[in-house]
Amino acid sequence: MFEVMLSGNTSTVLGDTLVVLVSMTLLLFLVKYFAWDKVNAMLESRRDKISKDLDEAAEKKKAAEEIQANANEIIHKAELKGSDILNNAREAASKTQDEMIKEGKEVVSRMKAEGQREVDSMKQRAIAQVQDEIVDLSIQLA
């Protein structure tokens, strides 16, 4: 093409340019007439689908965040309830332990008192027996 321009034969270059321009114009006209609406409709449907998908993704993200917030709230409440249960169990165990210690002390005190009464009773019997023996000995000596 450059060789033709250099040789001075401008009619072929101008003719080629006109043919290319007419061909491009005809091609654009045919594309607009036959395919442009279909391509435009396809691009529009694709744009709508992408927009719809983005909206759905945003809604699902919002729903997931709400679910996560609810789950965190439930977990927090469960932790508080578990802590309360644990504290109540500790208090009940402490109370039970105190009661058992108190009952143990009362049992020991009763056993000690019974032992002391038994010792006193045995002492009284021993004294009475010794007195009886002394009386018997005194009678035998007299």
Side-chain angles (χ1 to χ4, degrees):
M1 182 161 131
F2 290 116
E3 293 173 7
V4 173
M5 287 175 69
L6 292 176
S7 69
N9 192 359
T10 57
S11 66
T12 22
V13 173
L14 186 58
D16 288 345
T17 304
L18 285 174
V19 168
V20 169
L21 270 169
V22 170
S23 297
M24 280 299 291
T25 306
L26 183 62
L27 180 64
L28 287 175
F29 176 72
L30 290 173
V31 166
K32 179 159 175 45
Y33 185 74
F34 290 109
W36 188 255
D37 292 335
K38 293 178 183 176
V39 170
N40 216 10
M42 180 188 70
L43 290 175
E44 188 65 32
S45 70
R46 179 74 177 147
R47 183 180 307 124
D48 291 343
K49 183 182 182 313
I50 290 171
S51 176
K52 179 182 167 189
D53 288 347
L54 288 174
D55 291 342
E56 285 179 12
E59 289 174 9
K60 287 182 180 181
K61 182 179 179 184
K62 185 178 178 182
E65 289 172 352
E66 289 175 3
I67 290 170
Q68 182 67 34
N70 288 340
N72 288 340
E73 184 178 337
I74 290 170
I75 289 170
H76 181 70
K77 286 180 181 179
E79 287 174 348
L80 290 177
K81 190 173 182 178
S83 178
D84 288 344
I85 290 171
L86 187 60
N87 288 337
N88 290 340
R90 284 183 182 150
E91 289 176 10
S94 176
K95 206 180 268 188
T96 303
Q97 180 183 13
D98 292 344
E99 289 175 5
M100 290 175 75
I101 289 172
K102 183 179 176 184
E103 287 177 18
K105 285 180 180 178
E106 288 174 359
V107 167
V108 167
S109 178
R110 276 194 312 252
M111 289 175 71
K112 187 176 177 184
E114 285 178 20
Q116 186 63 41
R117 280 192 297 256
E118 192 173 321
V119 166
D120 289 343
S121 172
M122 291 173 85
K123 183 178 175 184
Q124 290 299 326
R125 277 184 277 160
I127 291 173
Q129 190 177 20
V130 168
Q131 285 176 349
D132 286 344
E133 287 180 13
I134 290 176
V135 169
D136 286 342
L137 281 176
S138 295
I139 292 177
Q140 285 177 357
L141 284 178

